[in-house]
Amino acid sequence: MELKKTPKADLEAKKNMFWLIGLVVALGLSLLAFEWTTKPSKAADLGQIQTAEVEEEIIPITREQEVKPPPPPPPPQVIEVLNIVDDDVEIEDELQIEDTEADDETVIDVAPVIETAAEEEEEEAQVFFIVEDMPEFPGGDLALRKYIANAIKYPVIAQENGIQGKVYVTFVVSKTGKVTDAKIARGVDPSLDKEALRVVNALPAWKPGKQRGKPVNVSYTVPINFVLQ
């Protein structure tokens, strides 16, 4: 004889309902856990702050004893000596006052003004920047540029390193037209600067500059352009 369960005792039919109930309960517990909050404890429960009295240390004030300088010595005593002279003493050399008024016949000797050697040297050493007649290279500025272009020897070290630029050289054209005191006013590289000075110092004599028709020393500046081709 086969045993059969009653429909009320069959749990397989209610399995879906129990699963839904369990899901709802689990969801409710999760929401309750997220919403659960704890109240912070009161400040009184954290403890008490005890204040400890700190004894104030009294630091004595000390002052450096003032040292007074010794009193200055008394001034030396001055004794006045009076020479008493009798009224009846005769004075041999009487003071003679000459008449200093000049008239038309009075001859006045005036010492000639002699220029010293120092003044002459200072005048010769004076260098002008702008004069009435500026110094001129033989043949003019075009001849000067051609001379420099032909005399320049581009330094090998500058060519290897690709160094180029414009070097400004300043010098003085003396009264005799000689180029002196050549200096670099604005340089580019030591090798280029040295070559520019060599060329300028080798320049031939110029036509000197003149001020009021008199030859003078004049400062002159020449740009030398170094360009790699």
Side-chain angles (χ1 to χ4, degrees):
M1 183 176 177
E2 185 178 0
L3 295 177
K4 294 183 178 180
K5 294 182 180 181
T6 61
K8 294 180 179 182
D10 189 5
L11 297 178
E12 291 294 335
K14 300 179 180 180
K15 181 171 67 173
N16 293 333
M17 183 180 66
F18 287 135
W19 183 78
L20 293 174
I21 292 173
L23 186 61
V24 171
V25 172
L27 182 61
L29 291 175
S30 299
L31 293 175
L32 182 62
F34 280 111
E35 294 295 331
W36 185 271
T37 57
T38 58
K39 295 181 179 180
S41 58
K42 296 181 180 179
D45 298 337
L46 298 178
Q48 296 180 355
I49 300 175
Q50 296 181 355
T51 58
E53 295 182 359
V54 180
E55 296 182 359
E56 184 178 357
E57 183 180 359
I58 301 175
I59 301 174
I61 300 174
T62 58
R63 295 182 179 178
E64 185 178 357
Q65 186 177 2
E66 184 178 358
V67 179
K68 295 182 179 181
Q77 187 176 2
V78 179
I79 300 175
E80 295 183 359
V81 179
L82 299 179
N83 294 329
I84 302 175
V85 181
D86 295 336
D87 293 339
D88 57 353
V89 176
E90 296 181 357
I91 301 175
E92 297 178 357
D93 297 333
E94 295 183 356
L95 180 63
Q96 296 180 359
I97 301 175
E98 296 180 357
D99 188 7
T100 57
E101 294 184 359
D103 51 15
D104 296 339
E105 298 179 355
T106 304
V107 179
I108 300 174
D109 294 333
V110 179
V113 179
I114 302 174
E115 293 184 358
T116 61
E119 292 178 353
E120 294 178 357
E121 292 178 358
E122 183 180 357
E123 184 179 355
E124 291 181 359
Q126 186 178 6
V127 178
F128 294 85
F129 291 91
I130 298 176
V131 292
E132 297 174 354
D133 298 328
M134 293 296 292
E136 185 179 353
F137 185 81
D141 293 340
L142 182 60
L144 174 62
R145 288 195 293 267
K146 289 182 178 179
Y147 178 89
I148 294 175
N150 295 330
I152 283 291
K153 296 179 181 179
Y154 212 112
V156 178
I157 187 172
Q159 294 181 15
E160 294 176 352
N161 295 322
I163 301 173
Q164 58 184 357
K166 186 175 291 186
V167 180
Y168 288 85
V169 183
T170 180
F171 55 92
V172 175
V173 179
S174 66
K175 297 177 180 180
T176 59
K178 186 178 178 180
V179 174
T180 61
D181 198 18
K183 297 179 182 178
I184 298 296
R186 188 173 69 185
V188 175
D189 182 77
S191 60
L192 300 183
D193 299 347
K194 184 178 180 180
E195 177 62 16
L197 283 176
R198 184 192 69 82
V199 173
V200 169
N201 286 324
L203 289 175
W206 290 45
K207 180 182 177 182
K210 293 183 179 180
Q211 181 71 10
R212 296 179 181 177
K214 183 179 179 181
V216 291
N217 302 324
V218 182
S219 178
Y220 203 91
T221 302
V222 171
I224 301 177
N225 195 13
F226 290 86
V227 179
L228 291 172
Q229 297 179 355

